[in-house]
Amino acid sequence: MSTQTVQEAMITLGVNARRAAREIMRASGVAKVRALHAMADAVEANRGALKDANRQDLDAARENGLTAALLDRLALSDRTLDLMADGLRQVAALPDPVGSTGPTTVRPNGMRVAQMRVPLGVIGIIYESRPNVTIDAAALCLKSGNAAILRGGSEALRSNLALAAIVRQGLDAAGLPPHAVQVVDTTDRAAVGELITMTEHIDVIVPRGGKSLIQRISAEARVPVIKHLDGNCHVYIDAAADPEKAHAIAFNAKTYRYGVCGSMETLLVHAAVAAAILPRLADALIAHGVELRGCARTRDLVPAAKPATDADWAEEYLGPILAIRIVDSLDEAIDHIGRWGSGHTDAIVTENLGAARRFQREVDSSSVYVNLPTVFADGYEYGLGSEIGISTNRLHARGPVGLEGLTTYKWVLTGEGQLRG
Amino acid sequence: MSTQTVQEAMITLGVNARRAAREIMRASGVAKVRALHAMADAVEANRGALKDANRQDLDAARENGLTAALLDRLALSDRTLDLMADGLRQVAALPDPVGSTGPTTVRPNGMRVAQMRVPLGVIGIIYESRPNVTIDAAALCLKSGNAAILRGGSEALRSNLALAAIVRQGLDAAGLPPHAVQVVDTTDRAAVGELITMTEHIDVIVPRGGKSLIQRISAEARVPVIKHLDGNCHVYIDAAADPEKAHAIAFNAKTYRYGVCGSMETLLVHAAVAAAILPRLADALIAHGVELRGCARTRDLVPAAKPATDADWAEEYLGPILAIRIVDSLDEAIDHIGRWGSGHTDAIVTENLGAARRFQREVDSSSVYVNLPTVFADGYEYGLGSEIGISTNRLHARGPVGLEGLTTYKWVLTGEGQLRG
């Protein structure tokens, strides 16, 4: 397609999405639930067609020499399809955020003031190879009353279009507008450039993928972006930590899964308890295959640790490496996190109430834990039911973003003819 | 100053602001109140110096041929200074939003999940000639625990620097960091360009001024902008409206003040009540000096009205002009507002519960009223105590933005060593 044609095609998607958004924001909760259930049924009823489309993507990907890891992410297995249908039914069962109204205040003149939750409008989702995101994102956007424009990876186009047909079936079954969820059907890269700059048609962009994708989108977008950048997470073992808890929390924070954004990347240990805790913890981590990099005082206690540099304090390893630093006070720990952290998720291990409260108040991260490993950073664990991602933004939605993060509010005022002035 | 020097100067401001933000976000409510009271006292104690600095700005402005209206906005009278000191004490008395924690949920594993209100960080305020914004904005940013960088109009530079000295006195008196509030001391326009693109140092920009200023800033900013664009507000008189309320509300909505953003620009009237309500209302508005522009059916009832075109439905007059359209249903009114409105503030006049609820739910504006004139669009009227502006954004803060709009939240989780997986 020519750039001109891509632009026109994207504007058409945008105009259709905006029109559908006006309808879908008024849709009843019942209709949205019906649509989600119909989608789940359609996933199960169309396994064959979905796997056929996916097989074409997989064949082309193999010809193009994609790695085994990417092929694995691209594949729609029976198990993936089962999870997809389950996911749709789970989202259907979540409380509908739209239209709920918070506390009402009565002003001195008798008028009543409240805030009502309403959808954001049109959400653009840009993602990479996993086709299941098509269904996940469609479900969350629909449940929260938003229209969605989905732009998946080019290698998954046939799978995504087949899934889009499933979504369309669900919308039809519930009498909802077909353009409430649209999949971009071109692999032209110019389509992304249009999507992230169509401020008239798109209210927010949610990119899901690697850091380079998100940085590129953030740099070029004119539409607001709910984004996830670094997760350089810390666990601080305080002087008043329970040694057993500290050991278990730090071990879990590093080893639960190396690749998740809540994985601990730097361990801070108060000097008063370092000798009691670090050697045993280091042995356990090393035995688990974790490479340790420490400050000079750490290396006195853990000779196996390599020397850590400033680059280590800044790094999100997302792998079996851990930086360790001994600090002399809670303040030093908070300062280290303020200087080197990425504001994602940080934890203190302590039995001291004052230390816990100060850490929770003063560490400026989107999630701050007491006596919990940082790997709990996940919308399901927080009770959000589902999440579209974890935001490292400061404005709007911060940390795990569930349905509420895909809504905004409006002020609703009710009077009996009060006048001003 | 050379562009290079401006850039360096702005980065220095930014770095200082970020450092101050880390301190001010931990400051106690008591210290912030003390600082605000000290500023109020200093305004009163330094009337002479403030008026001297202001006189120099006024003299220069007169030489440069500024209009009487602009000179009026620039002037610091005794009354303006009184209001400034009062405003500081009022902001001091507002509840401190920082550190308050919302409802706590307990997860199945026993860990407790809550959200805590925290400052945004560093706020950049860009405004035009009124020097009192220097104090208003400083007070709101400080109370909400943010560091502020203020960039006023070049014609008010001496006044703003004198006010900055007052702010500094207040910060000093409370032991708060001097860089918590900084005033840009160059009139070089390149400073604004730096301010709105320093994403590392600034978390949000709040422009206060005319539409052209805000559009330029929005177009060029890389930092998120809490902005106020159009206020094309509607009142819809429903078939079930009380005629007296309808008359009073519509008249008040248009005539309270023509220049406020909540002023009614288009009146929609249900056909069933148009003949009973419009002629008398039109007479009253015309007698008050309002020019009417109507659809064909309106002009049948109000011959004095000029014909309205599509340009009228789209226009924010901010003056003594009103567009009027007769509609045949609630749906037509909602559709008109959806098509032509700016999503600011819209009102229905009705005694019918269903119509009121549908209007409030389905009109997608930041404020939706029942039986109230749109001119209540104001943070004080909503009970926010004070406001930094009215946001027409969808994300983060929508409608009047008080202290809470200058904060965000973080997740605080507390456990006793629960592990994952």
Side-chain angles (χ1 to χ4, degrees), chain A residues 107 120 218-219 222 252 360 363 366 368 370-371 375 381 394 396 398 408 410-411 413 415 417 420, chain B residues 107 120 218-219 222 252 360-361 363 366 368 370-371 375 381 394 396 398 408 410-411 413 415 417 420:
Chain A
R107 301 293 303 146
L120 284 172
S218 303
R222 299 305 315 168
N252 189 239
Q360 240 167 7
V363 169
S366 67
V368 189
V370 171
N371 292 333
V375 287
E381 296 292 336
R394 295 190 73 82
H396 192 69
R398 210 169 171 218
T408 180
K410 63 182 170 193
W411 296 90
L413 273 68
R420 185 143 189 222
Chain B
R107 301 294 303 149
L120 285 172
S218 304
R222 300 304 316 169
N252 188 240
Q360 238 165 10
R361 169 131 192 197
V363 169
S366 67
V368 189
V370 171
N371 292 332
V375 287
E381 297 292 338
R394 295 190 74 82
H396 192 68
R398 211 172 170 214
T408 181
K410 65 181 170 193
W411 295 91
L413 274 69
R420 186 144 187 225

Side-chain angles (χ1 to χ4, degrees), chain B residues 202-405:
Chain B
I202 315 271
D203 295 298
V204 63
I205 294 286
V206 183
R208 290 178 56 156
K211 194 171 162 181
S212 66
L213 172 80
I214 293 167
Q215 280 176 326
R216 190 168 62 85
I217 286 170
S218 304
E220 294 168 17
R222 300 304 316 169
V223 178
V225 179
I226 295 181
K227 64 176 172 291
H228 176 189
L229 287 171
D230 299 320
N232 182 13
C233 302
H234 300 73
V235 173
Y236 163 59
I237 300 178
D238 185 50
D242 173 292
E244 288 310 312
K245 272 186 208 162
H247 180 91
I249 288 171
F251 188 81
N252 188 240
K254 185 68 230 176
T255 64
Y256 165 67
R257 279 194 208 161
Y258 299 127
V260 297
C261 57
S263 183
M264 169 177 67
E265 306 294 11
T266 294
L267 174 68
L268 301 169
V269 186
H270 193 284
V273 294
I277 289 173
L278 260 187
R280 181 165 77 97
L281 178 60
D283 285 349
L285 288 166
I286 290 167
H288 203 82
V290 177
E291 174 188 325
L292 305 181
R293 301 182 187 176
C295 66
R297 290 157 83 188
T298 298
R299 295 177 66 226
D300 288 343
L301 294 171
V302 183
K306 294 180 183 169
T309 66
D310 280 357
D312 289 296
W313 311 136
E315 184 73 14
E316 183 185 14
Y317 301 116
L318 289 175
I321 307 174
L322 177 67
I324 306 177
R325 183 175 195 171
I326 293 177
V327 296
D328 287 312
S329 64
L330 174 61
D331 285 290
E332 205 181 320
I334 292 173
D335 287 346
H336 179 100
I337 295 169
R339 175 158 183 208
W340 298 105
S342 64
H344 191 289
T345 302
D346 299 292
I348 185 174
V349 186
T350 190
E351 300 300 312
N352 181 281
L353 182 62
R357 294 197 79 105
R358 272 200 58 209
F359 189 87
Q360 238 165 10
R361 169 131 192 197
E362 297 185 13
V363 169
D364 179 30
S365 299
S366 67
S367 290
V368 189
Y369 296 175
V370 171
N371 292 332
L372 292 167
T374 47
V375 287
F376 276 113
D378 178 311
Y380 294 89
E381 297 292 338
Y382 286 33
L384 305 185
S386 186
E387 63 166 52
I388 194 90
I390 296 187
S391 163
T392 56
N393 289 10
R394 295 190 74 82
L395 267 71
H396 192 68
R398 211 172 170 214
V401 181
L403 291 173
E404 185 163 312

